[in-house]
Amino acid sequence: MLHRLAEFTLLKVLDLEDCKEVKDCHVKYICRLFLLRFLSLRNTDVSTISSQISRLQHLQTLNLYGTRIENLPTLVTMLERLEYLFFSERWSMRRWEIPVGLKKMMALCTLRTIRLPNDPNVVKEIGALAQLQTLDITILNSSEEVLANLADALDKTNNLRSLYAYGTGKDEHKDRLLNFLLRLKTPPLLLESVRIDGVMDQLPKWFNSLVHLVKMYTWRVSLMGDHLLGVFCELPNLASVSLGYDSCTDDELLVRSAFKFPALKSFYVDPYIMPRAIRFEKSTMEKIETFGVFFYDNDGAGRPILAGIENLTSLKKLEVLTHSINAEIEILDRLKVERARHQV
């Protein structure tokens, strides 16, 4: 059937996700389906995309997640009606290095996932994507000029709703590539979801102006707890916060009474080495319903401490994982005592 794909000339939707029979030789047939609007090769063994993909002028969605494709032909920028582009190589999670001509793809709403090239002029073209709402971007050893142009480009993405920024360099703690976010002058204030993955000097102050933000996720930012939670604790619509691997450098993460989080429903902490303790003060996170934490072995520095759970008055679900069964039993016993005290 696959070798006869070109015969389906009126086909508009082709979803081959997880189809292991799809090979590179079939792509040439797909590129003859000129009326295609939706094409998914997700989780297939396709390893290359022909430049003939540019002939699919009606294509609106192209899903290439989890394939073996390492890059896309430059002529993909001829797909001027494309709205949703998803890309990642299966084994290395390689990103698409955006080429010259990206600005021609004016209909793009979702761009996941891309890698910055070393050409600062190409990076400028991101700012021309006026319809862009979702951007997933990887920054590897980028120059100061590239990062400055990226900040200028994001200043122009006024419709952005979701931002995932991953930055890593030769020396992550020295390079701090995600500091480019501190340079934004007219940031995308319509953001609803933000994921920051990389070391920073601080979270941008403009984060506390993201009144539409619903989800916040940090990973490897290496900041003190007050500098993390204090930035977005008053946002009116923030419902979910996750502090991932190496987010907090404090020995004890203190969730202060001043951190109101008026709409927060779920809070997750993945401390790795730090913090070794999490403590909630009274009258904090009063609407939180789900709290989850994964304590590692704390580098042999003693059992983890979880205190003040009783102050989470709306809590319905608690998830606690540790590498030590004794620590889990100790935390569970403490919670049972607290529950009994409240039932008296």
Side-chain angles (χ1 to χ4, degrees):
M1 178 65 73
L2 289 171
H3 68 278
R4 297 180 56 193
L5 275 173
E7 299 177 20
F8 297 88
T9 55
L10 298 180
L11 200 63
K12 294 183 179 181
V13 175
L14 182 58
D15 188 349
L16 296 174
E17 180 174 345
D18 293 322
C19 183
K20 301 307 179 185
E21 287 75 26
V22 181
K23 307 298 179 186
D24 289 345
C25 62
H26 299 125
V27 175
K28 62 181 180 181
Y29 304 128
I30 295 173
C31 290
R32 297 175 190 171
L33 302 174
F34 304 125
L35 297 181
L36 267 187
R37 295 184 179 181
F38 179 99
L39 172 60
S40 177
L41 297 174
R42 182 170 183 158
N43 296 334
T44 67
D45 289 329
V46 173
S47 63
T48 185
I49 288 289
S50 166
S51 59
Q52 293 183 8
I53 191 75
S54 63
R55 302 168 69 185
L56 304 182
Q57 285 296 301
H58 294 278
L59 199 62
Q60 297 174 344
T61 298
L62 179 58
N63 190 339
L64 301 175
Y65 268 151
T67 66
R68 296 170 58 192
I69 302 169
E70 295 188 355
N71 210 348
L72 295 177
T74 301
L75 286 180
V76 76
T77 59
M78 300 296 291
L79 300 176
E80 298 182 8
R81 297 182 182 178
L82 194 66
E83 298 179 17
Y84 304 95
L85 175 56
F86 305 92
F87 180 93
S88 71
E89 194 271 337
R90 180 184 306 163
W91 306 117
S92 66
M93 296 300 291
R94 188 185 299 271
R95 274 67 171 157
W96 175 43
E97 183 174 301
I98 55 174
V100 174
L102 180 70
K103 62 184 178 182
K104 291 185 290 185
M105 305 177 77
M106 295 293 292
L108 274 175
C109 294
T110 295
L111 191 51
R112 305 182 65 175
T113 55
I114 64 171
R115 177 166 50 95
L116 289 189
N118 291 322
D119 186 342
N121 291 322
V122 174
V123 175
K124 282 183 180 180
E125 297 191 30
I126 296 175
L129 305 178
Q131 305 302 318
L132 195 62
Q133 295 187 17
T134 299
L135 178 62
D136 185 336
I137 188 167
T138 294
I139 305 165
L140 302 175
N141 302 312
S142 296
S143 68
E144 279 298 312
E145 187 178 4
V146 166
L147 294 174
N149 284 359
L150 178 57
D152 290 342
L154 288 186
D155 274 335
K156 301 172 183 176
T157 55
N158 299 322
N159 287 317
L160 205 61
R161 302 301 200 275
S162 178
L163 174 64
Y164 175 16
Y166 169 79
T168 185
K170 296 178 180 178
D171 185 337
E172 294 181 8
H173 286 270
K174 180 181 178 181
D175 296 336
R176 298 176 181 259
L177 297 174
L178 295 191
N179 276 350
F180 83 90
L181 290 169
L182 305 177
R183 306 177 184 179
L184 269 62
K185 299 174 183 177
T186 55
L189 297 181
L190 296 179
L191 281 170
E192 298 172 358
S193 176
V194 173
R195 174 170 173 149
I196 302 298
D197 186 345
V199 182
M200 300 185 69
D201 287 340
Q202 64 184 60
L203 292 182
K205 293 180 180 180
W206 54 265
F207 274 16
N208 61 22
S209 299
L210 299 178
V211 296
H212 302 285
L213 193 66
V214 176
K215 297 181 181 179
M216 181 72 198
Y217 187 98
T218 65
W219 189 272
R220 299 185 307 123
V221 292
S222 297
L223 295 172
M224 296 175 63
D226 284 359
H227 295 167
L228 283 168
L229 301 179
V231 171
F232 41 81
C233 64
E234 296 183 2
L235 295 180
N237 293 298
L238 185 60
S240 176
V241 171
S242 294
L243 305 182
Y245 170 86
D246 202 21
S247 284
C248 180
T249 58
D250 293 342
D251 186 64
E252 176 183 279
L253 174 61
L254 180 60
V255 184
R256 302 183 184 276
S257 298
F259 301 157
K260 296 301 183 182
F261 290 98
L264 195 67
K265 297 294 185 181
S266 65
F267 181 44
Y268 290 92
V269 184
D270 187 357
Y272 190 54
I273 301 300
M274 306 289 269
R276 296 187 176 96
I278 300 175
R279 190 181 305 276
F280 296 90
E281 290 187 346
K282 291 183 178 180
S283 303
T284 188
M285 295 187 174
E286 292 180 335
K287 294 186 179 180
I288 189 174
E289 297 179 358
T290 301
F291 172 57
V293 59
F294 183 10
F295 287 111
Y296 292 75
D297 72 0
N298 283 313
D299 200 24
R303 294 176 182 171
I305 297 173
L306 183 60
I309 288 293
E310 68 275 10
N311 295 322
L312 303 179
T313 54
S314 298
L315 193 65
K316 297 178 179 179
K317 183 178 182 180
L318 175 64
E319 301 173 0
V320 180
L321 296 175
T322 78
H323 280 175
S324 168
I325 185 63
N326 291 329
E328 288 185 12
I329 292 174
E330 183 177 316
I331 291 172
L332 182 59
D333 287 344
R334 191 182 305 126
L335 292 173
K336 287 179 178 178
V337 170
E338 186 59 39
R339 183 181 65 177
R341 185 174 69 84
H342 279 276
Q343 290 176 343
V344 173

